[in-house]
Amino acid sequence: MTDTTLTTRTPAQQVMEAACVLDKHKKPSHADRAAFCALVEQEPGVWRMAGDLARGAQDKIVAAMGTTVATSESVKIGMREMRHELVADGDGRLIKLLVEQVLVCWLQMYHAQYQYTVVMAEDHTFAKGAYWQRRLTATQGRYLRALETLARVKRLAIPVQVNIAADGGQQVNVAQ
């Protein structure tokens, strides 16, 4: 990882190349691991390229759907749009984490809804129908809890102004 060509690349390119070198070996040396970690720690946020588990989970769910390339790419674009709609300027890290959870739950729920619809449209056993009903209900519950949590945290983050009448009829504005 001490290759001088790494210094001419962007930090993102350096991290991706270093990740490939690291992953090529079944048991990378301690020095290679340390060099990779040092490279990732130099640039804030670059860890997400290889280590963002929320996006990784989303990608795995989309891939597991077994849909066409056009559908998969449309879902990914739709998720980017939903992410943009749900995260406002100035939102903190907590809200961004909750939005990622909402998106994972959204994917799981609608994938389960699709599978449930397919199963119900064909001949199926009672056990199979009951399984898909329970799975759909569970994913709906997780999705609704994720939405509720996001809404609660966003509501708590909004500054509130309260107008209070003081003695003598003078108004006092209190902002939180």
Side-chain angles (χ1 to χ4, degrees):
M1 290 210 196
T2 58
D3 186 354
T4 56
T5 59
L6 286 179
T7 59
T8 60
R9 291 178 170 69
T10 66
Q13 291 169 326
Q14 291 178 35
V15 168
M16 290 311 293
E17 187 171 313
C20 290
V21 169
L22 195 63
D23 290 344
K24 198 174 0 176
H25 304 292
K26 288 187 180 182
K27 288 196 170 193
S29 71
H30 179 70
D32 282 346
R33 287 175 185 255
F36 176 76
C37 291
L39 189 60
V40 171
E41 289 174 356
Q42 285 176 5
E43 193 69 29
V46 78
W47 66 271
R48 286 185 180 86
M49 293 177 63
D52 189 340
L53 297 178
R55 299 276 174 99
Q58 293 165 8
D59 291 344
K60 288 284 187 187
I61 295 167
V62 171
M65 289 179 182
T67 60
T68 65
V69 173
T71 300
S72 295
E73 293 305 315
S74 295
V75 167
K76 290 176 185 178
I77 290 168
M79 287 178 47
R80 275 196 304 268
E81 287 181 13
M82 283 190 282
R83 187 177 292 112
H84 180 72
E85 292 167 356
L86 292 171
V87 176
D89 291 339
D91 279 348
R93 188 76 195 126
L94 178 59
I95 289 176
K96 291 175 184 174
L97 288 170
L98 289 170
V99 166
E100 293 304 322
Q101 182 61 32
V102 165
L103 293 175
V104 166
C105 292
W106 176 84
L107 274 172
Q108 289 174 328
M109 186 189 70
Y110 282 108
H111 185 226
Q113 179 71 62
Y114 177 80
Q115 291 174 315
Y116 173 81
T117 304
V118 168
V119 167
M120 293 299 122
E122 60 189 28
D123 288 337
H124 59 276
T125 65
F126 177 78
K128 189 174 185 179
Y131 166 79
W132 281 105
Q133 180 64 46
R134 284 190 312 274
R135 183 168 173 190
L136 178 58
T137 300
T139 60
Q140 288 169 334
R142 284 192 296 270
Y143 179 56
L144 292 174
R145 279 191 306 277
L147 286 172
E148 181 182 339
T149 302
L150 176 61
R152 189 178 309 123
V153 170
K154 278 185 164 258
R155 188 175 58 246
L156 291 173
I158 296 173
V160 177
Q161 179 174 328
V162 180
N163 299 326
I164 302 171
D167 290 336
Q170 185 174 352
Q171 180 174 316
V172 178
N173 296 326
V174 180
Q176 179 182 354

